[in-house]
Each structure stands twice: as C-alpha cells, then as structure tokens.
Amino acid sequence: MSESDDMSELGSIIERITKDEVPIKNIERELICPGCKELFTHPLILPCQHSVCHKCVKEVLLLTHEDSFTDAGSECSNSGSPRSRLSSPSIDRLDRLGRSGSSTPTGKKRNSLIPRVTNFPCPGCQHDIDLGERGISGLFRNFTLENIVERYRQAARAAVAIMCNLCKPPPVEATKSCMDCKASYCNECFKMHHPWGTPKAQHEYVGPTTNFRPKVLMCPEHEMEKVNMYCEVCRRPVCHLCKLGGSHANHKVTSMSSAYKLLKEKLSRSIHYLISKEDQVKTQISELDELITHTQHNGETSTREANLHFETLFNILEERKTEMLRTIEVNQTTRLEKLKSQREEYQGMLENSGLVGYAQEVLKETDQSCFVQTAKQLYPRIQKATEALRSFHPAADPSFGDFAVDVSKEEVLLKELGFSIPDVPVIDQSLSRVYNEGLICWLLPEDSSPTDHYILEYKKLDDKAETTWLATEKIYGNSKVVCDLDTNSLYNFRVKSCKKSVYSSYSQEVAFHTPPAPVFSFLFDDKCGFNTERLILNRRQSVESVAGLSLLLGSERIQMGSYMCLDYIIGDTGIDRGSHFWVFRVEPHSYLVKVGVASDTKLQEWFHNPRDTSSPRYDHDSGHDSGSEDTCYDSSQPFTLVTIGMGKFIIPKGSTATTSDYSNRVLPMPQRIGICLDYEKGRVYFYDADNMKCLWERQVDCTGTMYPAFGLMGSGGVHLEEIILGKRLGYTGDAQ
C-alpha cells in the first residue's frame, strides 16, 4: 500500500470520528478510571502509559503516608482523616501541583503534600510505578482524554444547556466558549467582550463547553518552557532544556511534529485494521455469546450434579447415623437392665431387707420340720449371694469404647473432596517428530488417573500475519499425526486432557521446525555394490559395519599398516528433480561414517573400478588426512560426502564457508542428521535435524540421477528415521 493510500485512509478514519459516526456513548468503558471506577476527572498519565484520576493518585499517596501525617505533631492528634485536614490544590493549577517545593532539592518540607520519591500502585497494570522525585508534579495531564470525557458528559446531558457566564439574571444559553478566557458566552456577551480590533478578538473559541484546557502543554520540569520534542526512550514529551542539560540529555529525541505524524499514522492503521476486521469481530462475538450460553448451562448442570452428589452423601451419613445411634441405644438399654437387676440382688443382701431379711425371719422359726423345709430352699440362694459377694463382677461393662466411631480416614477423604480436574500432559520431545507431517507424543505425570481423551492444538508462527490455534478431533491415545504442515516453518504445539467434560490446563508449548523440503523416502539398496561381508542390513532400515573375515586374513600384514577401505551403500530410490530431505541417526560409537549424495556415474566408479587397498592415499574418501581432500571439493564434483565419527561432525577442508582451523571445522555430532538436496539449484545442505540448523552446504553437480550415499569403515551404524521408511515417492522418468 502506497503512502498516498495510507494518508487517504487516515483522512477517512479521522473524518468518521469528527463526524461522530462512532457514537461517543459506545466508548464509555474506555473512559472509566481503573482506580475509582468512575469517569475520569483530570486524568494524569503515569510512566506506564496508563491514565488515572488526579484525586485517585493523591488519595492513594495520602493513604500510603497516613501514619507519618498522624504522628507529625499535636495538631494532628484530633479525630478525623488527614484527608479532610489537608487542603487540595486548585483544579486550574493541577499542572503546577507541587512546584512550590521544587526549589528544595531534598524535598523534606514538613507539610509537603507530595513525597520526594513515591511508588504508586497502578490500578491498570497492577505494577508499582516509581513517580520519581517530583511525584505528581512530574506527570502530564491527559488533556485529550479529558476532552473525550467532556464530550461524553455533554452527550449524556444533551438536554441540559450551558448558560452564559456573563449575562445578568436570568442567564441566556451560551453559544460559544472562549478557551483563552475560560468562559462561556451568548452571542451578545461574546461581541461585547471580544470587540473587533482588540487582542481579545484573536482568542480561540469553540462550541459551548465546561472543559477548558491550556492551549499549550508546558514542561513539568521547566515550567516556562513549552514541550516541543518527544523522548523515544521515556516515551513522553520534553522541552529543549530537558534535552540540553536535563534528565533526557543522552536520550534519543525527535521533533513533536514527527512524533505526532508517526504515532497518528500507527494509530490510524491500527484503527483501520480493526474496522476492516469488523465481520471477524462480530463472528468472534457470536462465538463468545455461544460460549457464555454454554458456560451458563454447564455451570448450572455442574451445580445440580454437585448438589446431587452432596445430597447422596448426606443421605448415606444420615442412614449410618440413625443405624449406629439405634445400635448404641439398644445396647445401652440392655446393659442398664442387667446392672439394675444386679443392683437389686445386692440390695437384698442388706440387713432387714430382701434376701437377708427374709433369712433372718426364717431363723426365727422354732418348728424343726418347718425350718428344714424352708431353709432347704433358702440356703442355695444365700450361698449364691455369698459367692457373688466374694467375687464381684458387674453384670455389664459401662464402657462404650467398642462403639467409638473412627472418622479420621473419612475426614481426610472429605477434605480432599474436590473437582476431578485431570492432570496436565507433557509433550515428549524425544519421541515427537515433525516433517511434512508431525508426530506429536505426550505423557501424563506419574500416578495420574486415566483421562477420557485429549485435544491437540497447533499453530504456525508467522511474523507477518497473525495465526490462530488449530485443534484436532478428540484423541484417545497418547500421540497424534498432524498432516499438511508447511515446509521450512516454525510450529507451536500444545495439548490438554479431558475427564468427565472437565479440561485440564494446556501443556507447555513446544516449538518444532519443519524441514526445508518434503521428506524423501527410501530404503538401503541391498543389490548395488552392497558388501555382504562387512555390512549387515537390518530389514534395509539400518546398516552396521563390522570388521569381517578380510581383516582377520590380513592380520599377518597388520605390523606393516594394513588398511581397510570404505564400504559404500546407497538408497534404493534416486532423485532427478525437485528438492528433498531425509533424516538418519549415526551410532555414537561409530569410528568413521561418510554421508551425503552421489550421482549414478560416481557410483559406477566406486563399485566397479579396482582400488589399491594397500595405499591409504589412493582413495580421497579413505578417512585419512592425506591431503587429497583439500583439493577435491570443486563445483564439478558429482558427489558430496561429509565425515562423521567418534562423536564429531567434520566439515571438509577447502570449504569456502569455513577456514582450515580445526576448531571451526569440527562440531559435536548431532543426534539426528538431516540432508537436503535441491536438484535444480545443484546444492546440498547438512542439518542438525533436532533444531533444523544448517551446519554446512555446498554446490554439487546434479547432471545424472542422485542417490543418498553412505560410507562406513570400522565399527559403526546408520539408522533411517521411521518417516523416511513410511512413504515411497514415484517418478515417471528414469528414476530408480
């Protein structure tokens, strides 16, 4: 978009605002002070760029230092708030508030209203803001916001007219307000007090208003200086004295006109963007309305379910309570009956009562036959009472310890009673792989309860455009394959779990970088030049190098420097067009592995021409530092191989991208290595596949069909990534 188009859009936006196409009543929420929750009254701009009413700032500062005011002297010992005893400065001089004490550098004047250094808790951002040594006096009034608030108030009280301040009673409705005189006039009074040919005729006048602001914004540090610059470091207007020798001397400043133009264009573009996205905003509002409805419905459902569960618990407790209390009551009655019966028996052992009294009366019988007849029945009872007296045992246990209710476990369970929020899953980066498709794996923390399903979300990170999160369907496992990812792009992934319609928080976002080209699929070729004696294939997915019988047979020459050459193996699929990427792992214990690409013409030389294996200088790919590798890398070579071994990734000598310094050429071996071949450009790239960082690149002659090539010597192994094995590319040409 050209500059003229931007300016025309800026003009149209300003025209819409000036024509009041945007109803002033619709912006009420932007005119509410975050401190007092009322319309702004003389708002001040804090260093954090939030606006707060002057009275809110003053009251908070007074409350902060209330104790110091209370202990200041005996005159403060009477009842009442310090706020009611301290005079407030004039509203018309708020921009000069506290300047009377500016001549005292220490700011320790006893009755000073503004402390020298003050931290103000901003209600907008919830941060403590340092107001500096000047306190409130160092803050600008937000006159623009004041004007908008006044317009809002006028719109709210449109039926209430502003009356002329100069008319004799009864006053006439005002038609103009003079910004210099700060008064409202009717037509007659305005002509009378602003006659033609006088300086007052040049005063600025507007429509009737009660909001009069200064015509020029003055510097709070230099009271007589106008602000004419904008400090880009502090993001506030300053005067030329602030730049020359003040606190902004070393700061980058720009002219006020430039700052005005730049900020106004930025704001206009942002407003235009929001206006252009009105349909999107309405759609999102509809979605939010639907979410509000669902939230209200789900909340009511959850409330009913919770009440039902608690009612069930209450009923169970009530049933158990009734049953257990009945058991205690029955047991208590039985024991009391036994103890009372025993008591009556013992009561009868007392003299002149019960059994003893009866026995005493029997002893008075003088007739022998009658006595024997009665005593024979009485004696066993007396004997039984005597035995009971000698070995006293209560008929029932008075203790109810066996009826004590232990609810300690239940109390713990009830205290732990809560919502069954599932645990937050963790994305396993070691198992996750991202190519054209992304395999994302995750785990739950140990001792976590099973969940119902998962939701995986991902989005592409793009600096030029805003992107949104994309969500998958419900996932009932611990992994998900995401398709159709863009090449050479950065994606963020996150996952959440769900159990009984309750979702956990999102996992920590994990970023993955897709490869620079589509994935190329192949297997190891077990026919073309494959050395079965020294190379072992595992289902053509991995290859392992072993010493073999040849080394054993050549052991008689080992004192003379017996030498083994590289054993080569290639992929079973070739490339004759396009850009392709493949990934593999090299075993950390590998002694020497060469990886890269080779043309079909070079392969014939490798596999069919004889080589003198007794000379390590014959083959420049031998792995020995013979010096031949310094000259072999030029643009005419139809192959490129990089040496990997002993945990190192070695960049070849003679590369234009590196020097011959050993420290610059030898890098730690990546866990996963990626190779990208761009056939049309004739370039090959070597990557650390974990972070898609390019380690080295060079030109290669792609005149024939190119194959992934590997060379191994000594112990070692190469394993292809699973995704490389999962797809097979088809060609219509001569590709193998």
Side-chain angles (χ1 to χ4, degrees):
M1 183 179 294
S2 64
E3 183 176 356
S4 60
D5 294 336
D6 290 342
M7 295 307 297
S8 62
E9 290 179 4
L10 170 62
S12 63
I13 292 172
I14 296 176
E15 184 179 358
R16 288 187 60 187
I17 296 175
T18 55
K19 288 183 178 180
D20 291 336
E21 293 183 12
V22 180
I24 190 72
K25 64 180 180 180
N26 292 346
I27 63 173
E28 179 179 358
R29 62 178 298 176
E30 301 295 333
L31 310 181
I32 301 297
C33 172
C36 60
K37 306 302 181 183
E38 297 178 358
L39 289 176
F40 281 106
T41 303
H42 306 290
L44 302 178
I45 303 177
L46 299 176
C48 60
Q49 304 304 309
H50 290 112
S51 295
V52 183
C53 290
H54 165 262
K55 64 176 182 179
C56 296
V57 179
K58 185 181 67 174
E59 289 179 359
V60 171
L61 296 182
L62 286 175
L63 290 175
T64 304
H65 299 275
E66 188 172 7
D67 293 338
S68 62
F69 283 118
T70 305
D71 300 335
S74 60
E75 68 276 7
C76 297
S77 61
N78 57 338
S79 61
S81 171
R83 204 175 309 164
S84 62
R85 297 189 297 275
L86 293 173
S87 59
S88 177
S90 172
I91 294 300
D92 294 333
R93 300 179 61 202
L94 286 178
D95 56 323
R96 301 172 61 86
L97 180 65
R99 292 177 186 165
S100 59
S102 60
S103 59
T104 305
T106 57
K108 295 182 180 180
K109 189 176 179 180
R110 177 177 178 179
N111 294 327
S112 175
L113 183 63
I114 307 303
R116 184 171 67 90
V117 178
T118 305
N119 283 334
F120 175 77
C122 174
C125 60
Q126 308 298 325
H127 290 91
D128 289 337
I129 306 301
D130 185 5
L131 301 183
E133 297 185 357
R134 297 182 60 83
I136 298 180
S137 62
L139 302 178
F140 283 104
R141 280 176 64 183
N142 194 339
F143 291 114
T144 302
L145 179 56
E146 243 179 276
N147 256 4
I148 298 175
V149 172
E150 180 60 25
R151 288 173 53 198
Y152 175 81
R153 286 196 172 104
Q154 289 181 5
R157 59 171 185 261
V160 180
I162 299 176
M163 310 309 291
C164 178
N165 300 131
L166 280 299
C167 280
K168 295 180 180 180
V172 181
E173 183 176 346
T175 58
K176 298 179 180 68
S177 293
C178 180
M179 301 303 293
D180 295 273
C181 301
K182 298 182 179 177
S184 298
Y185 302 89
C186 63
N187 286 333
E188 296 299 327
C189 292
F190 185 80
K191 293 177 182 179
M192 183 183 303
H193 291 84
H194 298 77
W196 288 103
T198 64
K200 285 191 174 183
Q202 305 299 322
H203 284 188
E204 178 186 359
Y205 64 90
V206 295
T209 183
T210 58
N211 181 40
F212 302 99
R213 69 177 187 180
K215 297 182 64 176
V216 180
L217 195 61
M218 307 301 290
C219 177
E221 296 187 12
H222 308 93
E223 301 175 9
M224 305 305 296
E225 297 295 330
K226 303 176 183 178
V227 292
N228 53 6
M229 301 179 183
Y230 182 79
C231 178
E232 297 183 358
V233 177
C234 302
R235 296 187 300 175
R236 60 178 296 170
V238 296
C239 68
H240 69 282
L241 293 181
C242 293
K243 175 60 178 174
L244 289 177
S247 58
H248 305 269
N250 297 323
H251 293 180
K252 182 180 180 181
V253 298
T254 184
S255 65
M256 189 61 69
S257 60
S258 300
Y260 169 81
K261 181 179 179 181
L262 179 61
L263 292 176
K264 198 155 192 174
E265 287 182 357
K266 286 184 177 180
L267 181 60
S268 300
R269 289 193 187 97
S270 300
I271 295 174
H272 175 72
Y273 175 79
L274 292 177
I275 294 175
S276 64
K277 298 295 182 179
E278 187 172 353
D279 293 338
Q280 180 180 348
V281 173
K282 290 180 179 179
T283 302
Q284 293 175 352
I285 290 175
S286 301
E287 293 178 0
L288 290 174
D289 290 337
E290 186 176 352
L291 290 176
I292 291 173
T293 303
H294 290 334
T295 301
Q296 185 174 0
H297 173 72
N298 293 337
E300 294 173 353
T301 303
S302 297
T303 301
R304 288 194 301 269
E305 291 178 353
N307 283 328
L308 180 61
H309 291 318
F310 277 104
E311 288 295 334
T312 303
L313 290 177
F314 293 154
N315 293 335
I316 294 174
L317 287 174
E318 193 64 33
E319 291 177 1
R320 295 297 299 160
K321 174 184 174 182
T322 302
E323 181 180 349
M324 295 178 72
L325 291 180
R326 185 184 299 111
T327 302
I328 294 175
E329 183 180 359
V330 170
N331 198 273
Q332 180 188 25
T333 302
T334 303
R335 293 187 185 190
L336 286 175
E337 290 177 354
K338 291 180 179 180
L339 289 174
K340 288 180 180 180
S341 176
Q342 187 179 17
R343 182 180 181 280
E344 291 177 356
E345 292 179 2
Y346 275 80
Q347 186 70 31
M349 297 180 188
L350 297 177
E351 186 178 3
N352 300 322
S353 64
L355 180 63
V356 175
Y358 174 68
Q360 288 176 344
E361 293 297 328
V362 172
L363 289 175
K364 295 178 182 180
E365 178 64 47
T366 57
D367 187 285
Q368 295 182 356
S369 59
C370 292
F371 175 80
V372 171
Q373 183 181 9
T374 304
K376 186 177 180 180
Q377 299 173 354
L378 180 61
Y379 180 74
R381 296 177 61 192
I382 295 295
Q383 190 176 15
K384 182 179 179 181
T386 303
E387 293 295 333
L389 182 62
R390 292 175 180 174
S391 57
F392 175 73
H393 292 288
D397 186 4
S399 173
F400 277 76
D402 51 342
F403 288 91
V405 181
D406 183 10
V407 295
S408 57
K409 295 181 179 179
E410 288 76 8
E411 286 180 358
V412 173
L413 292 176
L414 288 175
K415 289 179 181 179
E416 295 178 352
L417 182 64
F419 300 106
S420 57
I421 300 178
D423 293 318
V424 180
V426 179
I427 295 180
D428 191 343
Q429 300 186 54
S430 63
L431 298 178
S432 301
R433 298 287 185 266
V434 175
Y435 302 100
N436 312 68
E437 300 176 348
L439 173 63
I440 307 300
C441 304
W442 55 86
L443 300 170
L444 284 175
E446 295 183 1
D447 302 329
S448 298
S449 58
T451 59
D452 296 338
H453 63 269
Y454 301 90
I455 297 294
L456 176 66
E457 295 185 1
Y458 62 98
K459 71 173 180 179
K460 180 181 177 181
L461 301 182
D462 192 346
D463 297 334
K464 298 181 180 179
E466 183 179 357
T467 57
T468 58
W469 288 96
L470 302 176
T472 63
E473 299 293 334
K474 294 180 180 179
I475 306 169
Y476 298 96
N478 290 82
S479 63
K480 176 66 176 178
V481 176
V482 181
C483 303
D484 300 327
L485 299 179
D486 296 336
T487 58
N488 199 22
S489 300
L490 187 63
Y491 283 86
N492 265 10
F493 293 85
R494 65 185 185 185
V495 65
K496 62 181 179 180
S497 58
C498 179
K499 183 177 182 180
K500 296 181 179 179
S501 301
V502 178
Y503 285 93
S504 70
S505 301
Y506 284 104
S507 66
Q508 184 177 0
E509 295 180 12
V510 177
F512 289 98
H513 202 294
T514 57
V519 170
F520 179 66
S521 300
F522 63 90
L523 298 175
F524 285 117
D525 194 338
D526 58 353
K527 299 178 181 179
C528 182
F530 171 62
N531 191 324
T532 58
E533 184 178 354
R534 292 190 295 269
L535 295 181
I536 300 176
L537 278 179
N538 181 14
R539 294 185 299 177
R540 298 174 61 191
Q541 300 176 5
S542 61
V543 59
E544 182 180 359
S545 174
V546 295
L549 183 61
S550 58
L551 179 61
L552 181 62
L553 296 176
S555 60
E556 60 182 0
R557 297 185 299 156
I558 198 166
Q559 293 180 353
M560 301 174 58
S562 176
Y563 167 74
M564 288 182 60
C565 66
L566 284 165
D567 293 304
Y568 291 99
I569 189 170
I570 63 172
D572 63 350
T573 306
I575 300 172
D576 60 2
R577 67 176 68 89
S579 182
H580 304 280
F581 181 85
W582 59 93
V583 183
F584 53 88
R585 291 183 298 107
V586 175
E587 288 288 348
H589 67 270
S590 300
Y591 172 66
L592 189 150
V593 177
K594 284 184 174 287
V595 298
V597 295
S599 67
D600 50 1
T601 57
K602 183 64 178 178
L603 295 176
Q604 295 178 4
E605 176 186 346
W606 281 349
F607 295 134
H608 300 291
N609 292 346
R611 289 166 292 182
D612 182 6
T613 58
S614 64
S615 173
R617 292 185 175 270
Y618 174 81
D619 189 356
H620 60 263
D621 291 320
S622 62
H624 293 264
D625 192 9
S626 61
S628 59
E629 291 187 61
D630 298 341
T631 59
C632 70
Y633 284 97
D634 58 74
S635 60
S636 62
Q637 293 293 337
F639 64 92
T640 292
L641 296 175
V642 170
T643 302
I644 300 172
M646 301 179 66
K648 304 295 182 182
F649 181 95
I650 304 174
I651 298 177
K653 291 183 179 181
S655 171
T656 57
T658 60
T659 64
S660 59
D661 186 12
Y662 175 84
S663 60
N664 293 330
R665 293 196 308 114
V666 179
L667 306 176
M669 185 181 71
Q671 293 185 354
R672 298 162 55 241
I673 300 171
I675 297 179
C676 178
L677 175 64
D678 192 328
Y679 193 91
E680 279 72 22
K681 292 183 179 180
R683 295 197 70 84
V684 62
Y685 308 83
F686 295 84
Y687 285 86
D688 181 345
D690 287 329
N691 52 27
M692 290 300 165
K693 178 183 178 181
C694 184
L695 303 177
W696 185 61
E697 63 174 286
R698 77 172 295 267
Q699 197 78 18
V700 64
D701 183 15
C702 297
T703 54
T705 301
M706 306 298 291
Y707 290 85
F710 304 86
L712 298 90
M713 187 177 78
S715 63
V718 178
H719 307 276
L720 299 179
E721 285 279 318
E722 290 185 5
I723 194 168
I724 306 301
L725 312 171
K727 285 187 176 182
R728 306 305 302 271
L729 300 181
Y731 292 93
T732 57
D734 298 332
Q736 299 297 323

